[in-house]
Amino acid sequence: MRSRILVLLLSFIAAASVITACGGDDSQAVKIGVADASESYWNVFKQKASAAGIDVELVNFTDYNQPNPALAEGELDLNEFQHLLYLATYNAKNNKDLVPIGATAVYPLPLYSTQYKSVGEIPQGAQVAIPNDPTNQARGLLVLAQAGLITLTKPGNAFSTPADIDQARSKVKVIAVDAGQTAANLDSVAAAIVNNNYATSAKLTADQIIASDDPNAEASKPYINAFVARAADKDNATYAKLVQIYHDPQVIAAVKKSLGESGVIKTNSPADLQATVKGLESDVRANGS
């Protein structure tokens, strides 16, 4: 009798194991570092990913200097917060080989003001804030130069610094602050260059923009934002699927609702993005940045 009960018990356990295996959770978990996890478009993205069997965990960073080291050290699987030039600068300065695996969008870099309606209204000698990280700082200087607020001592490029400003011929004084603080400084400066995600979180509006660069220009290619992975994972099929999901029409609609209509969605191939980053890395090293 005991033998029969034991056989039945073992059969039940085996059957339960099969049921558990067949009905188990086959979803893959992917940890992505971002700088705007509170934006609602990420909820749409995560729902689409979940439907495709991918469990996305977002890790939010308020400091641009943190997501790349976190990815390089294996604390993240991907990150999505930066443009190609920022990535190239990080790789070149730190001897790393992080790679873009899919484009998201390129956004104009706007100059915001809560005090003035146009560049022409800004008084002589006023202060203007720009981000202090090298890539956004250089781009911010180009926006100010194009707007006629500063004059550079030599043709501006992606490696310009405040040291290149001709103070005597410039209308405003430039102060460099952490990118996350540019919006907060708008109460104390005439205008500020504010990255799109920080402008959104600060609830800045389009009618407060008094100047910006052109996201459709070829010169804006280094500023295409991308999903970034470690080199060993550049061909990971799950990560490639997440790039596709980002470009789902419902996700794109949510992105534009969250981040505004000014962004231009990009679909550059991974090979094109990676070649662009390699070229930019060479430029960074050549310029000693």
Side-chain angles (χ1 to χ4, degrees):
M1 184 67 176
R2 290 180 180 176
S3 298
R4 184 179 178 186
I5 292 174
L6 180 60
V7 169
L8 289 172
L9 180 59
L10 292 173
S11 298
F12 175 79
I13 293 172
S17 298
V18 170
I19 292 172
T20 301
C22 291
D25 184 2
D26 294 327
S27 64
Q28 296 174 277
V30 178
K31 189 178 292 187
I32 306 176
V34 301
D36 60 348
S38 64
E39 293 298 333
S40 60
Y41 75 90
W42 283 118
N43 292 329
V44 181
F45 176 80
K46 289 173 66 176
Q47 290 166 8
K48 291 286 184 180
S50 180
I54 307 171
D55 181 18
V56 170
E57 177 186 349
L58 299 179
V59 180
N60 197 66
F61 294 88
T62 58
D63 181 352
Y64 277 2
N65 293 314
Q66 295 178 351
N68 280 332
L71 176 60
E73 294 167 11
E75 297 171 11
L76 304 170
D77 299 306
L78 298 170
N79 66 41
E80 197 288 307
F81 79 101
Q82 67 192 313
H83 51 55
L84 302 183
L85 180 56
Y86 190 96
L87 173 61
T89 302
Y90 172 79
N91 280 345
K93 293 179 67 174
N94 295 279
N95 196 30
K96 299 296 184 181
D97 60 353
L98 300 182
V99 296
I101 62 165
T104 56
V106 59
Y107 293 90
L109 186 61
L111 177 67
Y112 287 90
S113 179
T114 56
Q115 301 180 50
Y116 303 104
K117 297 295 185 182
S118 69
V119 169
E121 292 183 10
I122 295 179
Q124 186 75 30
Q127 288 188 325
V128 173
I130 64 172
N132 63 4
D133 59 277
T135 52
N136 286 303
Q137 178 174 266
R139 191 181 178 192
L141 291 174
L142 294 179
V143 172
L144 299 185
Q146 292 165 12
L149 291 172
I150 63 171
T151 299
L152 299 173
T153 58
K154 55 187 177 182
N157 57 39
F159 307 100
S160 296
T161 72
D164 297 321
I165 299 173
D166 185 331
Q167 302 290 350
R169 298 171 60 201
S170 296
K171 184 178 183 180
V172 301
K173 303 297 182 183
V174 175
I175 61 171
V177 300
D178 182 86
Q181 296 301 310
T182 51
N185 274 270
L186 275 170
D187 289 338
S188 57
V189 297
I193 294 287
V194 185
N195 292 76
N196 191 68
N197 57 317
Y198 292 127
T200 301
S201 62
K203 302 189 184 304
L204 299 178
T205 61
D207 60 4
Q208 293 172 316
I209 297 173
I210 58 175
S212 70
D213 53 8
D214 180 5
N216 289 302
E218 180 64 22
S220 292
K221 188 173 184 181
Y223 305 111
I224 293 174
N225 287 273
F227 281 96
V228 175
R230 291 180 292 278
D233 296 325
K234 68 183 181 67
D235 298 317
N236 184 293
T238 298
Y239 301 166
K241 180 63 177 178
L242 287 173
V243 174
Q244 293 177 3
I245 290 170
Y246 188 94
H247 288 84
D248 179 281
Q250 290 184 343
V251 177
I252 293 300
V255 168
K256 288 185 172 292
K257 183 177 180 180
S258 290
L259 303 182
E261 296 290 335
S262 63
V264 176
I265 303 302
K266 294 293 183 179
T267 58
N268 302 59
S269 70
D272 178 48
L273 297 173
Q274 290 159 22
T276 299
V277 167
K278 284 297 182 185
L280 289 170
E281 287 175 11
S282 295
D283 291 342
V284 170
R285 294 186 180 98
N287 281 271
S289 298

